[in-house]
Amino acid sequence: GWYQVLASFNVTADVESSSTAAIKKVAKMGNLYQNVLIDESHEFRNKKSKGYKVLKELCKDKNVILVSATPFNNKEDDLQNQLNLFQDPKNSTLPGIKDLDGFFAGEKYKLNKAEKEDANIQNEVMREVNDNIRINVLEHVMVRRTREDIKKYYKSDLKKNEMKFPKINKPHKIYYEFDEKLNDIFDESLEIIANKLKFTRYSPLKVEYNPESKGRYQASQKNIVGMIKTQLIKRLESGIHAF
């Protein structure tokens, strides 16, 4: 896929897999490259892995672009490690944050301190930390391509190329009714999903072998269970095949 994309823009480049062996091979010729583009960059969120260490050495003094469409691996450490592929953690180029390690250490301290508090305070601190990282770090290094971003920042390009997003009408409700038997089955299914299933796979901290586990991880697992319940109910409503 990357060969085709690069060729269509007349860009000369070498394309390699993200295996440690492939990265080592490229690293040996590191001086040949000015730019390093890393697709699926969230795969390199662990600084202790062999691949990460080799890749960081390859990226030194290069222009680095990280590409990812996976919004789930974005804990503080995950983001920090990816940033360190193109930033000096003690002498960053971010405005107002020279010591990137110190900044993240401060934000993680807030989260760890909040683990002793109730879920509401934990969520409040989590939102504050997320905002701080987004405003002070990500806004300076991240390019997003949401629909609203394109309409706002690329208005002239859209007009020049005679392109526009289709207008989507507001949804309208379509009501349907179950017969008595189907209604009973549906109600019983909802009861099982909402109150009887334990969802242990998604909340391992609740089980007996680790009763002391507390903090934001427990709150996070509670949120995941809620999401899974909602998804099950949506699929149940869509039809038996979706369910």
Side-chain angles (χ1 to χ4, degrees):
W2 274 109
Y3 279 118
Q4 292 174 334
V5 171
L6 293 165
S8 68
F9 286 93
N10 297 317
V11 174
T12 304
D14 292 322
V15 181
E16 290 288 350
S17 76
S18 59
S19 69
T20 303
I23 299 169
K24 281 182 177 178
K25 185 178 84 173
V26 175
K28 288 179 181 177
M29 304 180 292
N31 292 333
L32 297 176
Y33 304 107
Q34 275 184 297
N35 309 296
V36 180
L37 189 152
I38 304 162
D39 195 11
E40 306 291 355
S41 67
H42 53 272
E43 291 183 5
F44 298 98
R45 62 188 186 276
N46 181 5
K47 67 180 180 181
K48 294 180 181 177
S49 70
K50 289 181 182 178
Y52 180 92
K53 291 172 184 174
V54 179
L55 185 63
K56 189 174 181 184
E57 191 61 33
L58 171 65
C59 291
K60 194 174 181 181
D61 300 323
K62 309 280 196 313
N63 300 313
V64 180
I65 300 171
L66 307 180
V67 181
S68 176
T70 305
F72 301 109
N73 299 311
N74 55 4
K75 290 180 181 174
E76 305 76 42
D77 286 335
D78 299 338
L79 293 171
Q80 185 180 2
N81 291 337
Q82 290 176 76
L83 286 164
N84 286 349
L85 289 171
F86 63 91
Q87 286 288 339
D88 183 335
K90 293 295 183 185
N91 188 28
S92 88
T93 60
L94 300 176
I97 303 180
K98 201 169 184 69
D99 183 0
L100 205 53
D101 277 353
F103 171 81
F104 274 97
E107 298 306 307
K108 283 183 274 192
Y109 173 77
K110 293 177 191 174
L111 291 170
N112 291 333
K113 190 177 177 183
E115 285 187 1
K116 299 173 184 176
E117 308 294 341
D118 64 43
N120 288 333
I121 293 177
Q122 286 176 37
N123 288 332
E124 190 178 320
V125 172
M126 205 179 295
R127 277 194 294 272
E128 179 194 328
V129 168
N130 288 343
D131 287 344
N132 285 343
I133 293 173
R134 187 181 71 254
I135 293 167
N136 294 300
V137 178
L138 296 183
E139 283 191 3
H140 299 291
V141 297
M142 186 170 71
V143 178
R144 297 192 309 164
R145 286 289 182 264
T146 65
R147 181 177 296 199
E148 291 306 312
D149 289 333
I150 292 170
K151 284 162 70 174
K152 182 177 180 181
Y153 298 113
Y154 299 93
K155 192 185 252 183
S156 59
D157 288 329
L158 290 174
K159 188 175 181 180
K160 180 181 174 184
N161 291 286
E162 298 181 345
M163 298 170 70
K164 63 180 180 180
F165 289 106
K167 185 180 177 182
I168 301 172
N169 295 322
K170 290 183 178 180
H172 61 278
K173 294 179 180 178
I174 300 176
Y175 293 96
Y176 57 89
E177 290 186 16
F178 293 148
D179 59 39
E180 189 175 342
K181 182 181 178 183
L182 195 55
N183 194 66
D184 289 343
I185 293 171
F186 190 80
D187 284 345
E188 187 180 342
S189 301
L190 285 181
E191 174 64 21
I192 291 169
I193 294 170
N195 298 316
K196 292 184 179 179
L197 289 181
K198 301 295 184 186
F199 295 93
T200 309
R201 177 176 183 172
Y202 305 100
S203 53
L205 294 180
K206 285 174 67 178
V207 299
E208 214 171 298
Y209 67 81
N210 198 2
E212 299 300 318
S213 296
K214 293 180 180 178
R216 60 188 167 119
Y217 297 109
Q218 236 177 12
S220 174
Q221 289 186 6
K222 186 179 178 182
N223 291 338
I224 289 170
V225 168
M227 183 180 72
I228 298 296
K229 282 185 180 182
T230 302
Q231 295 296 335
L232 276 176
I233 291 168
K234 283 183 176 179
R235 278 151 184 72
L236 177 65
E237 276 199 318
S238 294
I240 191 64
H241 296 292
F243 184 58

